[in-house]
Amino acid sequence: MKIIGLEETDSTNNYAKINIETLADRTVIHAKRQTSGRGRLNRKWIDLGEGNLFMSVVLKPSDTFNEIYPNITQYLSVVLCKVLETYGLKPQIKWPNDVLIDGKKIAGILSETVMQGGKLLGLIVGIGVNLNATQNDVNAIPDKIVTSLNLEGVNVDVESFRTSLVNEFFNNYDQFLENGFSSIKEDYINRNCFLNKELKVQIFNNMEHGMAKGVNDNGALILQTEDNNESVLTIGDIL
Ligand code: BT5
């Protein structure tokens, strides 16, 4: 595993994407500052200052796409929970991969697949974790209730947190490649905050309502709708 440390970049995912052909499997790109961090669907990831984590992992598990690869975001959400638990916190996962502390968002995960024709050039798994922020700065983030590790009473420097996260990520990564979501299903379900609740899920411009009945072996959310049908969702945002 190799770590590339950058003082500043627009987005560690962009850096990884632009350089994907020359970056080796299991390379970690870590930037102290990120000027144009991205979330899903063109949303922004806000840089709350130098003491926070912005990193992307480049993975090249094979030359062809495998349907388990998108589950890497759920895999990383479990990895992050395990690391946060070592600091005495009780993180929870909101499907598919939001990690929350007491309902407040502490991290964001964005994974991207880079293809060239039918060939997989690599997967890029980006993560931002709020480690050191002020209450005013987190309050200024639109649409979400946000927290950071220091605001939860835990003080940690970004390098040691990154080391713990990367080590935990690679501890069970080979098992994940073999068995996909099944390898983390129990750990994922044990930390969920959405099952057996009435949910509204936004899927692009559509809205689904229903009772969250389960998560299947592919990591999809099973909703029981009012007309007693089942919806199996692979993407979406729980509102
Ligand atoms: C995410 O998107 O949560 C994925 C964010 C991934 C960021 C990392 S940082 C390293 C790597 N390089 C990148 O360019 N990206 C990755 P999404 O689920 O779409 O949520 C985005 C929403 O989270 C925003 O619309 C805000 O409401 C909220 N948000 C923005 N910045 C935040 C922050 N620092 N902490 C908590 N919430 C934030």
Side-chain angles (χ1 to χ4, degrees):
M1 186 235 306
K2 186 180 169 194
I3 296 183
I4 296 178
L6 305 171
E7 284 297 309
E8 183 175 295
T9 188
D10 56 346
S11 145
T12 54
N13 270 42
N14 288 354
Y15 182 95
K17 205 183 265 184
I18 290 164
N19 296 293
I20 193 85
E21 292 195 72
T22 54
L23 293 170
D25 180 30
R26 304 180 191 218
T27 301
V28 175
I29 320 291
H30 174 202
K32 284 191 186 161
R33 296 180 301 275
Q34 191 173 244
T35 54
S36 201
R38 293 187 285 112
R40 293 169 302 143
L41 304 171
N42 281 331
R43 294 188 284 238
K44 289 187 178 14
W45 186 256
I46 296 167
D47 179 332
L48 295 172
E50 274 203 17
N52 297 289
L53 181 66
F54 314 102
M55 73 170 212
S56 301
V57 187
V58 173
L59 300 168
K60 299 187 168 182
S62 75
D63 287 344
T64 50
F65 183 76
N66 182 312
E67 62 185 17
I68 67 160
Y69 295 158
N71 294 110
I72 197 85
T73 58
Q74 288 166 308
Y75 173 75
L76 182 51
S77 70
V78 169
V79 165
L80 175 62
C81 285
K82 288 185 174 174
V83 173
L84 292 172
E85 284 158 10
T86 65
Y87 296 98
L89 298 170
K90 291 226 172 333
Q92 288 192 302
I93 299 171
K94 187 171 94 172
W95 185 86
N97 57 48
D98 261 349
V99 173
L100 310 175
I101 309 253
D102 284 337
K104 296 167 280 185
K105 180 159 170 162
I106 195 162
I109 298 170
L110 174 70
S111 88
E112 298 178 278
T113 306
V114 190
M115 305 285 298
Q116 191 174 62
K119 186 174 177 236
L120 176 71
L121 295 184
L123 306 172
I124 300 166
V125 194
I127 181 166
V129 188
N130 300 331
L131 300 176
N132 291 289
T134 66
Q135 190 65 53
N136 276 349
D137 284 348
V138 299
N139 288 349
I141 293 177
D143 320 318
K144 287 260 165 15
I145 303 174
V146 172
T147 193
S148 73
L149 222 57
N150 65 311
L151 296 174
E152 299 299 323
V154 177
N155 292 302
V156 60
D157 71 273
V158 66
E159 306 255 311
S160 49
F161 191 86
R162 185 201 68 209
T163 303
S164 307
L165 191 66
V166 170
N167 288 345
E168 184 62 39
F169 184 90
F170 286 113
N171 265 348
N172 297 308
Y173 172 64
D174 290 323
Q175 225 172 310
F176 168 77
L177 286 184
E178 227 163 84
N179 300 314
F181 184 76
S182 297
S183 73
I184 53 150
K185 186 172 178 182
E186 198 182 327
D187 283 336
Y188 183 89
I189 301 271
N190 282 342
R191 293 169 173 85
N192 91 84
C193 63
F194 56 89
L195 287 179
N196 302 314
K197 291 189 179 152
E198 284 289 339
L199 302 180
K200 273 192 221 165
V201 185
Q202 181 162 10
I203 306 129
F204 301 111
N205 292 324
N206 286 331
M207 196 73 84
E208 292 261 5
H209 296 251
M211 174 66 81
K213 292 310 270 184
V215 175
N216 72 14
D217 287 347
N218 302 319
L221 175 64
I222 302 164
L223 273 193
Q224 188 172 33
T225 52
E226 275 169 14
D227 49 10
N228 251 343
N229 281 324
E230 271 192 359
S231 274
V232 180
L233 305 180
T234 53
I235 54 167
D237 282 301
I238 297 175
L239 298 183

